[in-house]
Amino acid sequence: MRVLGIETSCDETGIAIYDTEKGLLSHALYSQVKLHADYGGVVPELASRDHVRKTLPLIRKALVDANLTAKDIDGVAYTSGPGLIGALLVGATIGRSLAFGWNVPAVGVHHMEGHLLAPMLEDNKPEFPFVALLVSGGHTQLVQVDGIGEYTLLGESVDDAAGEAFDKTAKLLGLDYPGGPRLAALADSGVAGRFVFPRPMTDKPGLNFSFSGLKTAAAQAIAKNGKDKQTQADIARAFQDAVVDTLIIKCQRALEQTGFTRLVVAGGVSANVRLRSMLEETMRKRGGEVFYPRSEFCTDNGAMIAVAGAQRLAAKQTADLSVKVRPRWPLTDLAPL
């Protein structure tokens, strides 16, 4: 089965074609970073308009790159939530319309299930069951995964997501949008230990997260110590270390609670080099294994939607002719395969 995947949940237009026998055939991505940079964050209306302009040309490109035509597509998968409602409607409307015109089934995909299944694009695929850390600009969640659609929420952020806290702290440091990757790069030249920030909620039982207080601690350090280059780098290092340590502590608790030995880490923040190296060391010591998608599939992309959609379509789960999106959509609402 060849599935066209369409991702338009926020500020990146992602298109891919996935073959259930041959794997990923093509993928194309357009980032709106330059469009939103002047505003310091995503402007929903501008994002929606840009998806309108970019989605169809990228679909044509993906077909050409895969040496396919519309007649070769067996199904269409599109992100139907969670995300920005206008952006979601663009991808859902185009995806459902193409499926109708091509006379193939369509399915709306949960954005976070796409991230969760993104490691399935790699040669070294995780086997079920595993614990998943979904960590991005909008979500920080620990999920027990017993199979596709068999999800138990173990913990989540009660305020800012980790990626959101990265972006907000980067803005306080005067870094350009998108701030998260820029803060991580700045942290590389920071001196460890000059600043020490709290590891929030690690002194309490449970698997929930909170990053707003950590952001406040960083803001106070910036206000008190100025913004010379080295101080910025040292604060960035302290902030990143606090986030990484917090995530690792919670992951270990989740593994102990479930008894699982496999950990999947996905979402935009999973591309963070410091987080990856520390988690790999942690899992090695535990005798377990950690799985990631490659860096280009950590952020929003069409390949993860095509993979997740292919699983749903193979199980005969399809969308009707109406266009439905869910800006808020709990992962645990999904039906098991």
Side-chain angles (χ1 to χ4, degrees), residues 33-79:
V33 165
K34 291 182 180 178
L35 177 66
H36 301 289
D38 289 343
Y39 304 95
V42 178
V43 181
E45 180 62 26
L46 294 181
S48 302
R49 293 178 184 180
D50 213 44
H51 287 310
V52 171
R53 286 190 288 265
K54 301 298 182 183
T55 302
L56 286 175
L58 284 177
I59 290 173
R60 295 189 190 100
K61 182 181 188 307
L63 286 168
V64 169
D65 290 348
N67 196 28
L68 300 174
T69 69
K71 294 179 181 179
D72 299 309
I73 300 300
D74 302 306
V76 178
Y78 52 85
T79 304

Side-chain angles (χ1 to χ4, degrees), residues 5 105 213 299 310:
T299 53

Side-chain angles (χ1 to χ4, degrees), residues 2 14 46 57 136 139 147 164 226 231 268 291 293 299:
R2 296 190 189 99
L46 294 181
S136 66
H139 298 82
E164 184 181 5
T231 296
F291 300 84
T299 53

Side-chain angles (χ1 to χ4, degrees), residues 70-322:
K71 294 179 181 179
D72 299 309
I73 300 300
D74 302 306
V76 178
Y78 52 85
T79 304
S80 56
L84 302 175
I85 187 168
L88 290 168
L89 281 169
V90 174
T93 302
I94 291 173
R96 195 64 200 82
S97 300
L98 287 176
F100 179 78
W102 295 343
N103 195 29
V104 297
V107 65
V109 173
H110 192 291
H111 179 77
M112 297 312 293
E113 182 172 64
H115 277 304
L116 189 152
L117 297 178
M120 302 300 180
L121 290 160
E122 308 305 326
D123 293 334
N124 184 27
K125 299 176 176 63
E127 294 181 2
F128 300 108
F130 54 78
V131 169
L133 171 65
L134 302 178
V135 56
S136 66
H139 298 82
T140 302
Q141 298 177 328
L142 278 166
V143 182
Q144 177 178 323
V145 181
D146 294 300
I148 296 176
E150 299 177 51
Y151 308 134
T152 302
L153 182 64
L154 302 174
E156 62 184 338
S157 180
V158 299
D159 42 53
D160 291 352
E164 184 181 5
F166 260 99
D167 287 339
K168 288 180 177 178
T169 302
K171 192 170 185 178
L172 291 170
L173 286 166
L175 303 178
D176 292 336
Y177 173 84
R182 298 181 190 278
L183 187 150
L186 181 62
D188 289 342
S189 58
V191 176
R194 180 182 172 192
F195 297 95
V196 178
F197 297 143
R199 276 57 176 162
M201 296 186 75
T202 57
D203 58 344
K204 300 178 181 179
L207 295 171
N208 283 339
F209 301 89
S210 172
F211 294 106
S212 63
L214 178 56
K215 178 194 66 183
T216 300
Q220 291 172 344
I222 294 166
K224 183 178 179 180
N225 295 278
K227 290 187 178 181
D228 66 90
K229 248 184 180 179
Q230 189 57 53
T231 296
Q232 281 189 322
D234 295 344
I235 291 173
R237 173 65 183 270
F239 176 84
Q240 178 176 257
D241 286 349
V243 173
V244 168
D245 286 352
T246 300
L247 294 174
I248 289 174
I249 289 168
K250 297 289 185 171
C251 283
Q252 291 190 93
R253 286 186 188 175
L255 291 164
E256 289 165 4
Q257 179 175 312
T258 59
F260 295 169
T261 59
R262 288 180 288 272
L263 175 68
V264 163
V265 185
V269 181
S270 70
N272 183 279
V273 175
R274 177 70 174 170
L275 176 62
R276 288 193 175 214
S277 64
M278 293 297 291
L279 276 175
E280 286 168 5
E281 181 182 341
T282 298
M283 293 303 290
R284 198 163 45 243
K285 289 179 179 177
R286 294 182 62 89
E289 191 172 4
V290 60
F291 300 84
Y292 308 95
R294 72 196 78 167
S295 295
E296 64 187 311
F297 296 144
C298 288
T299 53
D300 297 349
N301 63 88
M304 69 182 194
I305 302 304
V307 168
Q311 307 302 317
R312 296 281 169 184
L313 289 170
K316 307 300 182 184
Q317 294 184 12
T318 59
D320 58 28
L321 286 175
S322 61

